[in-house]
């Protein structure tokens, strides 16, 4: 497939937005300005961007604990995201959810998730509703390699196929679940080998190549939209930072060389080189884009820092749709 | 008992596991990231290096299968320690815990023994939000067939963990995440603390505070503050919640005539409700005030530190509860 230069810039922009947001979040966390856990998406930008670039605004996605990238790629607002990470009342979840539960249902982003594997069944539900209403919307379940070892994932994949739902299973295989390498927890190398067992097609793509991811996503999303049922994409990728936070905490579980080799394949820089080589863009174009988006991030940090914390009376608000319940 | 060697709560857990693994080749551990990495809270540090990959097993992210592994291995003669990283993840494994582990013995007419320990980490205070901060002990205590343990300090941790491992019934050991770094003298030798035996942490005459896990420590702070106001608190830490040391609590209630129960969990339907109910059944005539319950509001654990700090009970809210109970004539 050939993609227009506008599409290429669109995919690039999504990736840079994720990178800048995550780098900023990482810096704030290291300065102890962000409470709680922070699972950064740096290194994996091509996956969320390539997939979400194939979706319409009213399509749905479910996410993981590593969810900022998915929300940014779906069009998430920096200000409300940064405020949420700081636990402020102006955040996406009014400070109640934080990094691990960041969500924007108006963008079809049905939440980051603190429970590994829990997003996939929810994507199946969204796909069911989409088929039920018949408006041609598609759902995408983003999930990690490690999450395919949990029952919820298997049940979701099987049900999606049994009910022939409009869904794409998008695997981010970064070769680790927390601090344990994939080969300690699975006897197969490629997650996509599982797809056949559920009765859906699957492809492996280079998850550091946004065009490769996008191509596979366009095909899978079209299949789902046309009534062709579920399919799986396995993107081979890598997270550049630690499982949570930035620095390696505790014991070393992967070698510096391994990290360095993957960093050479940085999905953004390699794509920029390619766009320049192909005469689609100039270095100056990219400088402008980074500068513009950096300003957005700086504004978001300012916005978040200036925002108030929620007040304690908010603790019991939003437990139910209306204010009833026990106490 | 004479040595003053100190261990953290996490180290006390680790030492208990290590000593029991040395003593009994049938003891093994399985869980996520517990091998080379030593567990995300460091509680399994060094155990794989010491006992090998056969006995300290890194599992896939598969909570149902992790608990199921414990059920199947224990019923066929091993003595498993299976770890669920965060207490919130018991929900993922609830069938194996509630319908299998807890009930096999009964359903088989006694023809099954499950000497397994499920270890996990509960509690809030880390801005870890609604799915990584819960105190779900009441769910477990409600299930006949399970034993539930929640230590409040390093000494109790070691003794209770040893008893859990030696116990011939499925037991859930709940570490509190905020206590992992707490340091205190712990004897080097292996010792057990009987399951179902509570502890009078502080004797007193005016009012009884029943508190467990981190709230026991908050109660100690509250008692210090209240002592300056002339209120002499007795603090009881049940340590084991199932079976519960009802006798110890009732005796204290009969002595002080006033009781406050403090839990970190959501107040509604929690352990405090059970304890208060037992007290009114067994010591009604001795009470000078209704039994008071301190607990969290009826909401999930909020993320923002601005909310979470108000959400989780602490020494202040316990002290206020005590003052209110003392004010009753
Ligand atoms: C049910 C459950 N078990 C364990 C965890 C702890 N945990 C959080 S992230 C993670 C690793 C997930 O690995 P993977 O799905 O490959 O995603 P990655 O972090 O690599 O993006 C684990 C074990 C959890 N959050 N939920
Ligand atoms: Mg992974």
């Amino acid at each position: 497939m050939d993609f227009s230069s506008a599409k290429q810039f669109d995919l690039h922009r999504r990736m840079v937005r994720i990178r800048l947001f995550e780098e900023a979040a990482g810096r704030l966390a290291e300065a102890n300005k962000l409470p709680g856990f922070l699972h950064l998406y740096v290194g994996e930008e091509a996956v969320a961007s390539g997939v979400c670039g194939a979706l319409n605004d009213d399509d749905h996605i479910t996410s993981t604990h590593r969810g900022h990238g998915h929300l940014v790629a779906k069009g998430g607002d920096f200000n409300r995201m940064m405020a949420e990470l700081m636990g402020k009342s102006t955040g996406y979840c009014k400070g109640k959810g934080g990094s691990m539960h960041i969500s924007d249902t108006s963008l079809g982003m049905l939440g980051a998730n603190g429970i590994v594997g829990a997003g996939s069944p929810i994507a199946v539900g969204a796909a069911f509703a989409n088929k039920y209403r018949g408006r041609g919307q598609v759902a995408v379940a983003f999930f990690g390699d490690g999450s395919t070892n949990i029952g919820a994932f298997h049940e979701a994949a099987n049900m999606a196929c049994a009910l022939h739902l409009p869904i794409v299973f998008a695997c981010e295989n970064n070769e680790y679940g927390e601090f344990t390498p994939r080969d300690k927890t699975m006897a197969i190398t490629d997650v996509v080998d599982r797809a056949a067992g559920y009765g859906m097609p699957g492809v492996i793509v280079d998850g550091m190549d946004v065009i490769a991811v996008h191509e596979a996503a366009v095909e899978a999303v079209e299949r789902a939209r046309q009534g062709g049922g579920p399919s799986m994409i396995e993107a081979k990728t890598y997270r550049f930072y630690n499982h949570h936070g930035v620095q390696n905490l505790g014991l070393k579980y992967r070698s510096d060389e391994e990290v360095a080799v993957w960093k050479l394949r940085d999905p953004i820089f390699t794509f920029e080189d390619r766009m320049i080589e192909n005469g689609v863009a100039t270095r100056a174009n990219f400088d402008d884009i980074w500068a513009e988006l950096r300003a957005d991030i700086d504004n978001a940090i300012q916005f978040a820092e200036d925002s108030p914390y929620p007040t304690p009376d908010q603790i019991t608000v939003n437990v139910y749709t209306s204010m009833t319940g026990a106490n | 008992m004479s040595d003053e060697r100190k261990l953290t709560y996490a180290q006390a857990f680790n030492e208990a596991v290590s000593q029991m693994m040395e003593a009994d080749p049938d003891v093994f551990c399985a869980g996520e990231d517990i091998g080379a990495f030593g567990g995300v809270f460091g509680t399994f540090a060094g155990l794989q290096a010491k006992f090998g990959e056969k006995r300290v097993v890194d599992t896939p992210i598969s909570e149902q299968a992790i608990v199921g592994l414990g059920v199947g291995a224990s019923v066929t003669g091993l003595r498993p320690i299976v770890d669920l990283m965060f207490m919130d993840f018991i929900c993922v494994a609830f069938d194996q815990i509630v319908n299998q582990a807890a009930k096999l013995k009964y359903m088989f007419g006694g023809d099954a023994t499950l000497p397994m320990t499920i270890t996990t980490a509960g509690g809030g205070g880390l801005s870890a939000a609604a799915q990584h901060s819960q105190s779900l002990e009441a769910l477990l205590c409600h299930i006949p067939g399970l034993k539930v343990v929640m230590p409040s300090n390093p000494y109790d941790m070691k003794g209770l963990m040893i008893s859990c491992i030696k116990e011939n019934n499925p037991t859930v050991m709940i570490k509190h995440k905020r206590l992992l770094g707490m340091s205190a003298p712990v004897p080097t030798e292996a010792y057990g603390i009987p399951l179902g035996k509570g502890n009078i942490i502080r004797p007193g005459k005016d009012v009884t505070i029943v508190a467990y896990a981190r709230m026991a420590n908050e109660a100690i702070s509250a008692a210090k503050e209240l002592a300056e106001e002339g209120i002499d608190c007795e603090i009881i830490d049940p340590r084991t919640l199932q079976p519960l040391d009802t006798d110890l609590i009732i005796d204290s209630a009969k002595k002080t005539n006033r009781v406050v129960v403090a839990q970190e969990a959501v107040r509604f339907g929690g352990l405090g409700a059970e304890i208060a109910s037992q007290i009114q059944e067994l010591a009604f005539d001795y009470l000078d005030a209704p039994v008071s319950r301190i607990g969290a509001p009826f909401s999930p654990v909020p993320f923002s530190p601005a909310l979470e700090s108000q959400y989780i009970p602490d020494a202040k809210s316990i002290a206020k509860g005590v003052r209110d109970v003392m004010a009753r004539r």
Side-chain angles (χ1 to χ4, degrees):
Chain A
M1 274 179 244
D2 270 339
F3 296 108
S4 67
S5 82
K7 189 76 225 175
Q8 293 181 46
F9 274 108
D10 168 65
L11 296 174
H12 172 263
R13 190 181 181 84
R14 288 177 207 252
M15 289 199 292
V16 177
R17 287 189 82 225
I18 298 173
R19 177 69 54 93
L20 286 170
F21 184 85
E22 296 294 67
E23 296 278 0
R27 278 195 306 278
L28 289 165
E30 294 219 307
N32 283 325
K33 286 186 172 174
L34 296 187
F37 296 124
L38 186 77
H39 304 94
L40 296 177
Y41 199 72
V42 175
E44 306 187 12
E45 292 92 344
V47 187
S49 302
V51 171
C52 290
L55 296 177
N56 298 333
D57 286 349
D58 64 350
D59 289 330
H60 297 104
I61 63 171
T62 62
S63 171
T64 69
H65 55 286
R66 201 174 301 292
H68 314 157
H70 304 134
L71 179 51
V72 173
K74 198 76 172 63
D77 176 62
F78 276 172
N79 287 12
R80 296 179 67 194
M81 288 187 73
M82 200 52 89
E84 188 57 34
L85 263 51
M86 290 191 193
K88 299 297 184 78
S89 63
T90 53
Y92 261 119
C93 318
K94 303 180 188 135
K96 287 174 176 159
S99 162
M100 258 193 298
H101 305 291
I102 204 152
S103 58
D104 184 348
T105 56
S106 73
L107 294 173
M109 199 298 197
L110 305 181
N113 209 309
I115 302 299
V116 167
S120 291
I122 296 172
V124 171
F128 180 90
N130 291 341
K131 183 175 174 184
Y132 191 94
R133 281 191 307 259
R135 292 191 201 137
Q137 293 146 284
V138 165
V140 174
F142 285 102
F143 59 99
D145 49 305
S147 83
T148 69
N149 298 326
I150 211 162
F153 170 79
H154 295 280
E155 295 182 21
N158 180 65
M159 188 185 286
C161 291
L163 303 183
H164 203 66
L165 298 178
I167 187 169
V168 178
F169 289 92
C171 177
E172 294 158 343
N173 183 351
N174 59 14
E175 300 294 331
Y176 290 84
E178 290 201 341
F179 314 98
T180 301
R182 180 189 40 71
D183 63 7
K184 288 238 180 235
T185 57
M186 286 160 70
I188 54 174
T189 305
D190 301 318
V191 170
V192 81
D193 286 356
R194 301 195 193 277
Y198 306 117
M200 67 174 125
V203 289
I204 294 176
V205 298
D206 178 357
M208 309 308 269
D209 177 349
V210 71
I211 293 294
V213 174
H214 187 60
E215 213 163 2
V218 167
E219 196 184 319
V221 168
E222 255 348 272
R223 176 188 294 114
R225 225 185 275 295
Q226 302 311 325
S231 61
M232 190 182 294
I233 299 170
E234 175 181 0
K236 304 280 193 187
T237 185
Y238 202 76
R239 60 173 159 73
F240 288 176
Y241 295 141
N242 197 22
H243 169 63
H244 58 80
V246 177
Q247 304 291 351
N248 244 2
L249 308 164
L251 291 177
K252 217 167 178 64
Y253 59 95
R254 49 185 206 180
S255 71
D256 292 341
E257 299 77 65
E258 180 182 302
V259 178
V261 166
W262 277 96
K263 279 189 174 170
L264 285 177
R265 302 182 47 210
D266 187 302
I268 301 178
F269 302 144
T270 53
F271 188 49
E272 290 184 349
D273 290 347
R274 221 157 99 199
M275 284 176 73
I276 292 172
E277 225 166 85
N278 293 342
V280 179
T282 63
R283 182 57 59 197
N285 293 146
F286 294 135
D287 290 345
D288 291 347
I289 292 166
W290 284 85
E292 176 204 334
L293 296 176
R294 263 199 194 99
D296 288 352
I297 277 290
D298 292 344
N299 288 336
I301 295 170
Q302 196 62 50
F303 171 83
E305 282 179 343
D306 292 347
S307 291
Y309 282 106
T311 47
D313 60 304
Q314 293 304 302
I315 288 176
T316 50
V317 177
N318 301 134
V319 179
Y320 296 97
T321 299
S322 61
M323 280 296 293
T324 55
N327 207 346
Chain B
M1 290 284 291
S2 62
D3 64 307
E4 281 294 292
R5 180 200 59 149
K6 287 187 173 179
L7 288 186
T8 64
Y9 186 86
Q11 288 165 336
F13 172 89
N14 188 281
E15 187 166 279
V17 175
S18 183
Q19 289 178 344
M20 288 303 95
M21 289 185 77
E22 272 164 20
D24 183 350
D26 287 342
V27 177
F28 74 95
C29 308
E32 295 161 21
D33 295 296
I34 70 165
F37 200 74
V40 296
F41 301 114
T43 45
F44 290 86
L47 293 175
Q48 192 180 65
K50 199 162 168 190
F51 297 104
E53 291 189 21
K54 179 181 165 190
R55 297 184 68 195
V56 181
V57 183
D58 273 318
T59 64
I61 309 171
S62 308
E63 280 76 10
Q64 278 200 71
I66 292 168
V67 178
L69 181 82
V71 174
S74 63
V75 85
T76 54
L78 295 182
R79 198 168 278 277
I81 299 168
V82 290
D83 186 62
L84 303 176
M85 193 182 289
F86 285 79
M87 180 173 209
D88 313 72
F89 308 162
I90 64 169
C91 304
V92 178
F94 227 35
D95 175 60
Q96 286 294 329
I97 298 172
V98 176
N99 290 325
Q100 313 303 331
K103 297 182 174 54
L104 247 54
K105 180 173 212 70
Y106 187 81
M107 295 187 300
F108 294 3
D111 184 27
T113 300
L114 285 84
M116 65 182 285
T117 306
I118 299 170
T119 60
T120 190
L126 297 174
S127 292
Q131 296 173 342
H132 285 73
S133 305
Q134 294 174 86
S135 299
L136 298 173
E137 62 273 13
L139 301 183
L140 298 166
C141 292
H142 188 65
I143 308 300
L146 299 178
K147 297 193 175 186
V148 182
V149 176
M150 291 183 81
S152 68
N153 60 68
Y155 178 87
D156 287 355
M157 168 55 92
K158 180 169 173 185
L160 289 167
M161 185 58 194
I162 285 175
S163 296
C164 285
I165 299 169
K166 289 185 168 171
E167 170 68 36
N168 286 331
N169 290 289
T171 299
V172 188
M173 156 59 76
I174 305 164
K175 304 168 254 189
H176 195 291
K177 297 192 279 287
R178 284 283 304 272
L179 296 179
L180 293 165
M182 176 185 183
S183 183
V186 175
T188 51
E189 75 270 13
Y191 61 95
I193 294 173
L195 303 186
K197 274 264 158 272
N199 184 25
I200 301 174
I201 299 185
R202 182 190 197 281
K205 60 180 193 340
D206 296 331
V207 54
T208 301
I209 307 174
V210 182
Y212 55 92
R214 194 161 87 83
M215 287 305 119
N217 300 305
E218 293 297 309
I220 292 170
S221 307
K224 278 185 195 140
E225 191 182 318
L226 291 162
E228 287 166 22
E229 299 168 23
I231 301 172
D232 187 18
C233 302
E234 175 148 302
I235 303 174
I236 294 195
D237 177 1
R239 303 193 286 201
T240 305
L241 301 182
Q242 183 60 269
L244 184 68
D245 193 346
T246 310
D247 290 347
L248 188 72
I249 295 168
I250 296 301
D251 286 349
S252 180
K254 286 180 177 171
K255 184 175 86 176
T256 64
N257 316 117
R258 296 171 197 265
V259 186
V260 173
V261 189
Q263 64 185 39
E264 183 175 325
V266 167
R267 210 175 82 111
F268 189 94
L271 255 289
E274 175 64 34
I275 292 169
S277 178
Q278 299 255 5
I279 294 169
Q280 70 85 19
E281 281 169 1
L282 299 169
F284 182 77
D285 294 330
Y286 295 83
L287 293 179
D288 289 340
V291 178
S292 164
R293 290 177 295 148
I294 307 296
F298 200 67
S299 86
V301 184
F303 162 72
S304 180
L307 300 182
E308 195 188 22
S309 62
Q310 301 301 307
Y311 175 90
I312 298 177
D314 56 12
K316 244 200 209 108
S317 48
I318 295 171
K320 179 177 181 304
V322 169
R323 280 187 207 105
D324 290 349
V325 159
M326 292 305 294
R328 280 293 282 242
R329 290 285 144 230

